[in-house]
Amino acid sequence: MCDDRENLTKGIASAEGNLNTNLEIGLERCVKCTLPITWETIYFDDDGVCNICKNWNTKQNVVNWEEREKQLLKIFDEVKNKKNSYDCIVPFSGGKDSTFTLWAIVRKYGLKPLVVSFDHGFYRPKTIENRTRTFRELGVDVITFTPNWQVVKRLMLEALIRKGDFCWHCHAGVFAYPMQIAVKFEIPLLIWGEGGGEYEAYFKYEDIEETDEWKFNRRIIMGMRAEDMAGFMGVELRELQTFIYPAKEELERVGIKSIPLGNFIPWDVKKHVEIIKKELGWMEDEIESGFPGQTYEKIECMFTGVRDYIKYLKRGFARITHLTTLDIKHGRMSREEAMELIKKYEGRKPKSLGVLLEYLDINEKEFNEIVLRHLIPPAKPINPKTLLEGNKLWDQDLWFRENK
Amino acid sequence: MKIGIVNYSIGNVGSVYSAFKFYKYDTLLIDKPGALADVNIIVLAGVGNFTTAISRLKALNLWDAINEEVLNKKKPVLGICLGMQLFADISYENGENKGFGWIKGKVVRMDCESLRIPHIGWDEVKSSDDKLFKGMRNNFFYFMHSYHFVLEDNDANIATTNYGDLKICSAVKKDNIVGVQFHPEKSQGDGLRFLKNTVEAML
Amino acid sequence: MISRRIIPLFLLRGNRLVKGTNFKDFVDVGDPISQAMIYDAQGADEIIVVDVEASAKGKIINTKIINGMINKCRLPIGVGGGIKNIEDAKECFNAGADKIVINTHAVLRPNLIKELADEFGSQSVVVSVDIKKNKKGNYEIYVFSGKQKVDNDIYSYIAKVIKCGAGEILITSIDKEGTLLGFDYELYAKLREIIPVPMIASGGAGCYDDMVELFKETDSDACAIGKMLFLRDYDIVRIKSYLRGRKVSVREA
């Protein structure tokens, strides 16, 4: 594979560039919410307003939530009447969305779920505590699956090289594994968190009938399935068993039905976080790539900071842009205030990068070469040497280290 | 309920077959006149040219049998691309050939100075028929043809596609007869939906 | 009005897909059937799969693989690799191909184009031409996946191809392909003037604006893309969103 790395390149990106180049030169942004042109699936109309803003308005005004909740309750009543060992599966990570979903399923809708959690290898200590507290407080059966670490490390590097995104095993595993359990245990109903795609234009509300495998192939797996990966890594397909989507015949035999809860109830994140804090003692944490202080966004994964860092190098924006966008959409912030915050906080190199490099067994120079190759024009190349380093997370020294 | 796909040419029969199987319809391939009586819907798909299609159908003794089923017994029939063109009185592809004549009109080469012929790719279909084209995500379907059906019987024209200055007839319907110039089996979700709508409308 | 097409170009070697640069240094980019499912789900407009070794080995593309792809993908699939006569083409159609793509054998025996167009219809015949610039800056035709130069003048060859009834013409710039440095816009703009049938540009797509420039400056009907999809972080949904924003008429992904 190392030889092929040469052949996987050619083209764009030298590492030269200025700090905040993209901000100063003016990466084209939405006039309303500031999302930049390199945001996945975005485009602007003649007035400079992005499609994400437009869809947002549609969703707020057009969906009949009463009708949707009625549909949901009907589905739940049907399954409860069957009195199977489990009414449904709830795929779970421990982040705010899956925690709220599990709470709603148990406390609000009164179902008996089997909780299925995919362990990507990067759960942080506070998240582990949140999980334990949630499981014990709600009283649920839980299966947590941890894939082969040696395989995971190779998958991470392969995905980073080919796509500039090392999280393939997580995306594929989180989506495919619960489906496998649903088939194995013959539990037809799966309840996922938010509808997804509020910030991207991958799916329309009309797609409510499209199959999960279509979504899996379209968006989740980054253009590579287990069958492809096995060839890349030179391993038998069975080594990647966890990441294989069950066959259509199997899903049909069991009658699998996947429900994103966010398609049936309006997704009010702030309200949800309040509920899980109060009912389950769910705790916030700090992250490397957000605003200073505690937050509820993406706190469950060690590498949120590195992910955002890579995004910044590739696309010229990261989490701060995303967060301020939401504030603008909700009328809590002006565009000018947002741009100030982006200038102040975006684009810090995370201290946790060192841990990832250790897992991948590459050095920072190699990392930079790989990532900078994945620049998405019209974003301009950024020189990582010009970026400030962020603060170390309180728990980084507790994380698993290869070299003791 | 059985759907019979007439297997008279090489090519896209497999895709048409698998498209109907997506909805679990009982589907079979027909290459003998006797088998026609057993099916409820006849499907004429085809790749190739008009001349070859006609001669093959006649060689298999299917020509008269299909005519009998559709015209006299009023059995529902769906024609796809070349299949739809077979409904015409006459076609000028590779000489002059008579079609089934179920729908008045002729099949001629799309000749237009400003246009690129063949008409290949995804194009928009504007239809007056809400039943057949209901629930579509896009209304774009895949076209792949150099000849088109110019109708005399305009009532049978239920959908058109604008290709430059040319207004192509993209779908026909008359009683038990439905035809489309595009390839629903190659048009992803909307194509599948079209097939489902058609089957349901025919029953 | 007809949409511009975005076509993933699959290069088959053995039973895996590969991608290289200037037709060299191939790396494995996946399983053909798996990739067909992916690009179907992503909303590509069609797929073209070509076996890069078939002509040299005197075989045709593996029809079992074609059949596997057709069963898992509801898009038109164009198939090529070593097709040299009607029988070869028939095998491909029987396996489920919607169009056949001929390259080397069309150059070696242009009458093949006419035979296939007469038998199967022009719309099912794609003639693919691989082109490289020589030191003088003139374009030259190569066959056998870029290994052998032929003496035909490209403009008269293309005129012949059209006369023989090709339904579509796919032009690959060997210099640009796999480089991610953009298309050879000049080439396509020139050829656009003499090609009255749909023209598919192939070779060099590296970012969204490459495609915008292609459609706006050269009026190509479609583009075939490779490395940008397989070895960079792009997908059809994102590409089409960007193109729509730049007013290129593409079908929604």
Side-chain angles (χ1 to χ4, degrees):
Chain A
M1 192 51 229
C2 280
D3 297 331
D4 284 344
R5 239 187 261 178
E6 286 274 315
N7 296 337
L8 290 173
T9 75
K10 303 249 163 118
I12 344 163
S14 66
E16 301 309 305
N18 299 315
L19 174 66
N20 286 331
T21 295
N22 292 299
L23 212 54
E24 282 152 10
I25 284 186
L27 197 62
E28 206 179 328
R29 288 177 186 266
C30 173
V31 296
K32 275 179 90 174
C33 73
T34 76
L35 280 180
I37 188 71
T38 48
W39 182 275
E40 298 93 317
T41 74
I42 204 174
Y43 60 92
F44 306 129
D45 67 10
D46 292 327
D47 301 317
V49 180
C50 75
N51 53 328
I52 318 285
C53 278
K54 292 241 193 71
N55 285 343
W56 188 269
N57 294 333
T58 307
K59 187 190 139 182
Q60 302 306 327
N61 302 328
V62 162
V63 177
N64 183 343
W65 293 114
E66 265 180 49
E67 193 47 52
R68 293 274 173 113
E69 201 177 18
K70 271 203 195 115
Q71 287 175 20
L72 187 68
L73 292 173
K74 184 157 175 277
I75 294 171
F76 287 167
D77 282 335
E78 271 170 29
V79 85
K80 278 193 244 183
N81 284 337
K82 294 213 172 103
K83 298 208 191 303
N84 291 327
S85 319
Y86 296 103
D87 294 326
C88 63
I89 284 179
V90 173
F92 188 86
S93 65
K96 64 185 185 335
D97 294 324
S98 56
T99 303
F100 171 78
T101 301
L102 183 59
W103 172 85
I105 290 300
V106 174
R107 289 274 169 83
K108 186 169 178 198
Y109 299 110
L111 271 67
K112 182 188 174 200
L114 172 63
V115 179
V116 175
S117 184
F118 183 82
D119 176 12
H120 40 58
F122 312 137
Y123 285 130
R124 293 173 66 191
K126 211 171 253 184
T127 290
I128 293 171
E129 203 186 321
N130 278 343
R131 286 161 57 101
T132 307
R133 194 172 302 281
T134 297
F135 297 152
R136 291 186 177 187
E137 181 60 44
L138 291 177
V140 284
D141 290 348
V142 183
I143 292 179
T144 296
F145 180 86
T146 307
N148 179 333
W149 176 242
Q150 299 302 326
V151 171
V152 164
K153 285 193 292 179
R154 289 184 66 187
L155 288 170
M156 286 166 64
L157 183 58
E158 197 69 45
L160 182 70
I161 290 173
R162 287 174 185 266
K163 294 283 161 173
D165 181 344
F166 59 92
C167 303
W168 185 88
H169 73 288
C170 183
H171 298 145
V174 164
F175 209 92
Y177 184 71
M179 306 304 285
Q180 294 183 10
I181 294 297
V183 166
K184 271 205 227 310
F185 282 60
E186 296 190 345
I187 305 171
L189 188 59
L190 292 101
I191 320 274
W192 304 82
E194 62 171 324
E198 297 187 322
Y199 318 123
E200 287 173 355
Y202 274 90
F203 310 110
K204 300 161 112 164
Y205 274 100
E206 295 82 65
D207 292 334
I208 204 163
E209 48 176 18
E210 292 287 4
T211 68
D212 298 309
E213 186 168 22
W214 180 79
K215 289 183 190 160
F216 187 70
N217 290 333
R218 180 176 171 91
R219 173 76 179 110
I220 308 288
I221 43 84
M222 296 155 47
M224 304 175 291
R225 296 166 80 242
E227 291 80 348
D228 303 305
M229 272 293 193
F232 301 155
M233 290 164 55
V235 301
E236 300 272 325
L237 187 57
R238 74 174 196 156
E239 297 300 326
L240 305 181
Q241 181 57 45
T242 317
F243 310 102
I244 297 174
Y245 204 83
K248 187 159 170 249
E249 299 74 46
E250 290 294 289
L251 298 171
E252 280 171 357
R253 181 178 61 83
V254 178
I256 299 287
K257 191 185 183 84
S258 254
I259 309 262
L261 198 57
N263 274 0
F264 294 90
I265 64 174
W267 209 255
D268 184 342
V269 167
K270 280 206 153 57
K271 191 168 119 200
H272 295 175
V273 169
E274 259 161 66
I275 290 174
I276 59 179
K277 277 181 176 175
K278 180 162 172 267
E279 302 290 326
L280 304 171
W282 193 86
M283 296 177 289
E284 293 186 347
D285 204 345
E286 58 177 18
I287 60 171
E288 288 175 294
S289 45
F291 294 117
Q294 301 283 294
T295 178
Y296 50 69
E297 293 270 359
K298 283 284 185 285
I299 59 172
E300 56 279 15
C301 176
M302 289 175 198
F303 292 124
T304 294
V306 179
R307 255 187 91 68
D308 287 333
Y309 177 58
I310 290 176
K311 192 168 198 163
Y312 185 72
L313 294 176
K314 282 163 70 174
R315 298 177 186 277
F317 74 90
R319 183 158 304 274
I320 303 292
T321 295
H322 183 183
L323 291 172
T324 51
T325 297
L326 294 175
D327 282 327
I328 293 173
K329 278 196 182 32
H330 284 117
R332 293 191 287 256
M333 191 184 288
S334 73
R335 195 170 181 274
E336 291 67 36
E337 285 171 303
M339 296 300 280
E340 278 304 309
L341 289 169
I342 292 170
K343 217 177 194 160
K344 191 170 179 198
Y345 291 112
E346 194 137 81
R348 295 291 159 83
K349 188 169 84 166
K351 284 244 161 60
S352 58
L353 177 61
V355 181
L356 180 72
L357 295 179
E358 194 183 285
Y359 290 168
L360 299 180
D361 195 20
I362 59 176
N363 61 40
E364 194 172 341
K365 181 164 176 286
E366 289 169 309
F367 174 85
N368 288 341
E369 270 168 24
I370 295 170
V371 172
L372 293 171
R373 244 186 271 132
H374 286 284
L375 180 75
I376 308 281
K380 301 274 184 290
I382 294 168
N383 186 349
K385 294 195 182 71
T386 64
L387 299 176
L388 298 171
E389 245 195 347
N391 296 322
K392 189 153 68 156
L393 291 173
W394 70 270
D395 53 318
Q396 185 178 309
D397 291 335
L398 302 172
W399 298 352
F400 172 80
R401 299 303 294 254
E402 296 272 329
N403 312 318
K404 257 276 172 256
Chain B
M1 199 283 291
K2 285 203 178 76
I3 298 179
I5 303 174
V6 181
N7 193 9
Y8 66 94
S9 87
I10 46 93
N12 63 355
V13 191
S15 300
V16 180
Y17 179 84
S18 95
F20 284 113
K21 292 304 280 179
F22 180 82
Y23 292 108
K24 310 241 184 313
Y25 295 131
D26 194 353
T27 312
L28 33 114
L29 299 182
I30 295 180
D31 54 7
K32 281 197 264 285
L36 286 168
D38 293 331
V39 300
N40 306 88
I41 298 176
I42 297 173
V43 177
L44 283 167
V47 158
N49 62 62
F50 203 92
T51 317
T52 317
I54 306 263
S55 65
R56 281 234 181 82
L57 283 169
K58 290 190 173 159
L60 291 167
N61 288 325
L62 285 167
W63 187 263
D64 293 326
I66 292 174
N67 213 18
E68 168 70 18
E69 292 285 333
V70 174
L71 219 45
N72 298 338
K73 293 200 186 141
K74 298 284 179 221
K75 185 160 285 180
V77 63
L78 170 65
I80 296 174
C81 193
L82 178 59
M84 163 172 132
Q85 292 175 356
L86 293 174
F87 298 172
D89 295 314
I90 188 166
S91 165
Y92 293 94
E93 185 178 6
N94 283 23
E96 271 180 45
N97 282 289
K98 287 214 176 85
F100 285 114
W102 302 330
I103 294 182
K104 298 219 138 319
K106 57 187 179 182
V107 174
V108 296
R109 194 176 155 79
M110 293 163 69
D111 251 314
C112 199
E113 274 299 304
S114 59
L115 287 178
R116 284 163 206 157
I117 308 294
H119 179 216
I120 298 185
W122 294 81
D123 214 336
E124 192 177 6
V125 171
K126 297 197 170 108
S127 174
S128 54
D129 190 315
D130 292 327
K131 263 208 200 134
L132 297 184
F133 287 91
K134 78 164 186 262
M136 296 297 163
R137 197 172 190 266
N138 256 337
N139 275 313
F140 274 74
F141 297 87
Y142 196 82
F143 288 82
M144 220 174 107
H145 61 125
S146 312
Y147 286 76
H148 72 135
F149 193 166
V150 179
L151 265 64
E152 268 177 52
D153 180 0
N154 276 310
D155 289 333
N157 186 338
I158 59 159
T160 56
T161 292
N162 293 333
Y163 188 43
D165 292 327
L166 216 52
K167 207 169 185 152
I168 303 172
C169 169
S170 31
V172 295
K173 183 175 188 310
K174 184 174 162 191
D175 305 324
N176 52 319
I177 297 165
V178 175
V180 285
Q181 180 61 69
F182 55 83
H183 287 270
E185 77 284 8
K186 294 289 164 186
S187 299
Q188 295 197 301
D190 281 351
L192 288 177
R193 272 170 214 117
F194 175 82
L195 291 174
K196 179 162 183 265
N197 292 344
T198 303
V199 169
E200 286 174 359
M202 283 175 169
L203 296 178
Chain C
M1 198 50 210
I2 201 162
S3 305
R4 310 278 185 187
R5 286 171 280 153
I6 309 297
I7 306 175
L9 179 56
F10 288 11
L11 302 179
L12 188 66
R13 188 178 64 174
N15 57 5
R16 295 284 293 187
L17 299 182
V18 293
K19 193 69 207 104
T21 308
N22 311 122
F23 285 6
K24 293 198 285 271
D25 306 322
F26 288 124
V27 293
D28 185 322
V29 293
D31 171 83
I33 295 169
S34 175
Q35 292 293 304
M37 292 171 70
I38 286 170
Y39 290 109
D40 184 6
Q42 284 190 15
D45 295 307
E46 58 187 81
I47 293 175
I48 291 179
V49 55
V50 180
D51 183 320
V52 294
E53 294 177 326
S55 283
K57 290 187 169 167
K59 303 199 298 194
I60 66 165
I61 179 171
N62 184 328
T63 51
K64 245 192 167 149
I65 291 182
I66 303 174
N67 195 251
M69 288 171 67
I70 296 283
N71 286 338
K72 291 287 187 181
C73 178
R74 296 199 186 275
L75 282 177
I77 300 189
V79 154
I83 296 171
K84 58 191 173 317
N85 54 38
I86 290 186
E87 287 314 307
D88 289 343
K90 257 194 197 147
E91 261 193 75
C92 293
F93 283 121
N94 282 336
D98 296 287
K99 314 184 210 179
I100 45 138
V101 181
I102 50 177
N103 187 334
T104 295
H105 291 286
V107 176
L108 300 180
R109 189 172 77 82
N111 209 47
L112 171 64
I113 303 169
K114 186 166 191 314
E115 287 168 15
L116 296 174
D118 285 344
E119 178 72 18
F120 304 109
S122 306
Q123 63 275 358
S124 313
V125 181
V126 181
V127 174
S128 172
V129 192
D130 297 332
I131 290 178
K132 211 174 180 179
K133 244 186 195 167
N134 65 14
K135 290 192 176 73
K136 294 202 188 119
N138 296 323
Y139 292 109
E140 295 179 318
I141 300 178
Y142 280 71
V143 290
F144 293 110
S145 289
K147 295 204 174 40
Q148 191 180 308
K149 183 162 77 86
V150 290
D151 267 325
N152 314 25
D153 160 60
I154 79 155
Y155 299 102
S156 48
Y157 176 62
I158 286 181
K160 193 185 299 183
V161 163
I162 291 161
K163 192 143 173 272
C164 288
E168 286 178 285
I169 299 186
L170 167 68
I171 308 278
T172 300
S173 158
I174 300 178
D175 299 310
K176 293 288 190 180
E177 90 90 25
T179 63
L180 299 165
L181 292 172
F183 293 98
D184 187 340
Y185 308 102
E186 200 192 314
L187 171 64
Y188 300 117
K190 271 208 185 95
L191 292 177
R192 181 76 280 179
E193 289 170 18
I194 62 166
I195 296 181
V197 299
M199 178 174 78
I200 306 170
S202 164
C207 67
Y208 301 124
D209 283 323
D210 289 342
M211 283 174 272
V212 176
E213 190 169 349
L214 178 79
F215 292 125
K216 296 210 161 153
E217 301 304 319
T218 74
D219 197 21
S220 299
D221 299 281
C223 64
I225 57 183
K227 190 173 277 182
M228 202 178 145
L229 290 173
F230 294 115
L231 293 172
R232 290 296 184 273
D233 194 8
Y234 290 95
D235 65 36
I236 304 286
V237 183
R238 297 174 194 173
I239 288 171
K240 286 192 171 185
S241 295
Y242 190 92
L243 290 177
R244 280 180 82 186
R246 297 295 190 224
K247 304 276 188 280
V248 174
S249 137
V250 285
R251 175 184 73 107
E252 221 173 355

